[in-house]
Amino acid sequence: MADKPSRGLVLLGDGLARFIDPSSHTHLHSFASQASCGFLTLPNSPPSESDDERTVREFAVLLDACHTYLNMDGQITGNDSQKDQPKQTLPDRFMGMKAAILTNNSSLKSFSAKLGFSVLQLDELVKDCSAELQYNVIALELLKLLGFQEGKVLDNNQFDLIFFHIGAGEKLNSYEQKVIASDVEYIDALVGDIMSQAQPGSDISSRLHFSLVMSYGKVLQDDDSKFSVLKRKDEKNSYLSMLYPLQSYAMKGGVPRKDVRLHSPMLIAQWQHAVTRKDNAQKFFFEDFMEHGGNLAIPADRFLYEIAFKLWKAPKYGA
């Protein structure tokens, strides 16, 4: 545990996990080799869900804010009136947490604003910036908003937590649909520039809690066999397999969860120098996380509580 509150940065690659190349995207893999890696399990997708609806719903799960999402979607009626519900904004839930989000998704902007996020405009952060310097400028501006400037940690920071949502077509100064692979290149370069500013042992590295989260997006036909978080077949065949307890991703409040998707989790790697534990994963890749990751799987709706703890905005969740 750090002796001062961290400041959190989350890069969220929406639907990009399946496009990561184990032989390239070197900054992603370098980050994973220094980080603590694992999975965030999601509920099953509703039938006929659009990709835009999926984006907002999965973000709501990450924030444990599904009630707010369902209310926006008109699915809460009867006894679930607004006056009966506790306040759901992040500042109300997490000791005045100041959070911001960057995204080109208009639905996600609207949803985040209802949760108390400041919605930032990427173009404003990088105006008059050349294409060659865009990643470096974005990294510096994100860190500046968190109170990191010129390698130093400032006493005053505009935000405690920033989410940067990057999905298909989420490109700098562009509103056209782009090839998804280019978005992976985008996030790969951005990770490299952020880490170059937070070298181990620097003032920034001890206070920046950096999370990289990649989802699989829309589930495809054979994803349940390729990206399953269940025990491997050889483990299932063991006579000891019946003694394995249900894992944390399958439980809530000591009761088994009724809706857990057992495949296509979000991949997560987290790093803060001298705070997070380094595991044996060497690549930001499903198979490597499954074999060598240290965190295994937790429910995605516990993610924000873990972050808030590092920011001194919530008590510790779990062990």
Side-chain angles (χ1 to χ4, degrees):
M1 179 65 187
D3 60 354
K4 295 180 180 179
S6 306
R7 298 167 188 178
L9 176 61
V10 181
L11 299 187
L12 177 56
D14 185 9
L16 303 182
R18 67 178 75 250
F19 301 100
I20 297 173
D21 189 332
S23 60
S24 60
H25 302 133
T26 56
H27 296 303
L28 297 183
H29 301 315
S30 175
F31 180 72
S33 72
Q34 302 173 62
S36 181
C37 304
F39 305 110
L40 300 172
T41 57
L42 293 160
N44 289 295
S45 301
S48 304
E49 180 182 53
S50 70
D51 198 52
D52 192 59
E53 290 170 336
R54 177 200 57 75
T55 292
V56 179
R57 178 183 58 82
E58 289 185 354
F59 188 67
V61 173
L62 275 180
L63 303 181
D64 194 22
C66 288
H67 186 280
T68 302
Y69 170 71
L70 292 173
N71 187 52
M72 287 180 62
D73 203 36
Q75 297 184 36
I76 294 180
T77 57
N79 295 328
D80 292 322
S81 64
Q82 279 290 327
K83 65 180 181 179
D84 295 329
Q85 298 300 324
K87 292 182 178 180
Q88 294 295 309
T89 68
L90 264 65
D92 290 322
R93 293 168 59 197
F94 297 106
M95 300 171 60
M97 178 189 288
K98 298 174 294 184
I101 186 169
L102 291 96
T103 178
N104 283 343
N105 185 293
S106 58
S107 298
L108 196 53
K109 288 180 181 180
S110 176
F111 176 69
S112 300
K114 288 183 179 296
L115 293 175
F117 280 85
S118 295
V119 180
L120 306 178
Q121 301 300 322
L122 185 60
D123 289 348
E124 289 298 313
L125 295 184
V126 293
K127 56 185 176 182
D128 303 323
C129 169
S130 66
E132 293 78 13
L133 297 175
Q134 60 179 305
Y135 304 117
N136 182 257
V137 170
I138 293 171
L140 291 174
E141 290 297 322
L142 290 173
L143 294 173
K144 183 179 178 181
L145 290 169
L146 292 169
F148 303 121
Q149 194 168 4
E150 297 180 354
K152 302 297 181 182
V153 181
L154 306 182
D155 292 333
N156 297 318
N157 51 299
Q158 190 170 349
F159 298 108
D160 304 306
L161 175 64
I162 296 176
F163 279 84
F164 189 178
H165 169 264
I166 302 169
E170 305 273 345
K171 294 289 292 180
L172 182 64
N173 295 328
S174 174
Y175 301 96
E176 300 177 357
Q177 186 70 20
K178 300 292 184 179
V179 178
I180 292 178
S182 68
D183 290 310
V184 185
E185 298 290 344
Y186 181 92
I187 206 168
D188 180 67
L190 186 55
V191 167
D193 276 325
I194 291 170
M195 291 300 289
S196 71
Q197 298 295 323
Q199 294 293 323
S202 67
D203 291 343
I204 294 177
S205 70
S206 63
R207 297 288 297 280
L208 173 66
H209 188 77
F210 186 15
S211 301
L212 177 59
V213 180
M214 295 281 212
S215 75
Y216 282 96
K218 183 179 180 180
V219 174
L220 304 181
Q221 187 172 5
D222 59 347
D223 282 354
D224 57 342
S225 60
K226 292 195 299 184
F227 306 121
S228 174
V229 297
L230 290 173
K231 296 186 294 292
R232 300 181 185 280
K233 291 181 178 180
D234 55 346
E235 292 175 330
K236 289 182 181 181
N237 293 335
S238 168
Y239 68 92
L240 294 175
S241 63
M242 295 301 293
L243 300 179
Y244 291 154
L246 286 176
Q247 299 301 298
S248 63
Y249 68 81
M251 303 289 292
K252 185 174 184 179
V255 178
R257 289 175 180 256
K258 295 181 180 179
D259 185 19
V260 180
R261 192 172 75 196
L262 298 175
H263 61 87
S264 309
M266 292 178 168
L267 276 61
I268 177 172
Q270 295 181 300
W271 176 85
Q272 182 176 353
H273 181 63
V275 174
T276 52
R277 296 188 183 100
K278 180 183 178 300
D279 54 33
N280 293 323
Q282 295 298 310
K283 293 182 180 294
F284 199 99
F285 206 62
F286 181 89
E287 286 78 6
D288 206 8
F289 282 20
M290 194 73 182
E291 187 71 24
H292 303 296
N295 284 342
L296 301 180
I298 67 169
D301 61 19
R302 300 298 93 188
F303 169 75
L304 185 57
Y305 297 94
E306 294 282 5
I307 299 292
F309 171 69
K310 297 294 193 305
L311 275 54
W312 291 16
K313 297 294 184 181
K316 176 65 174 170
Y317 168 79

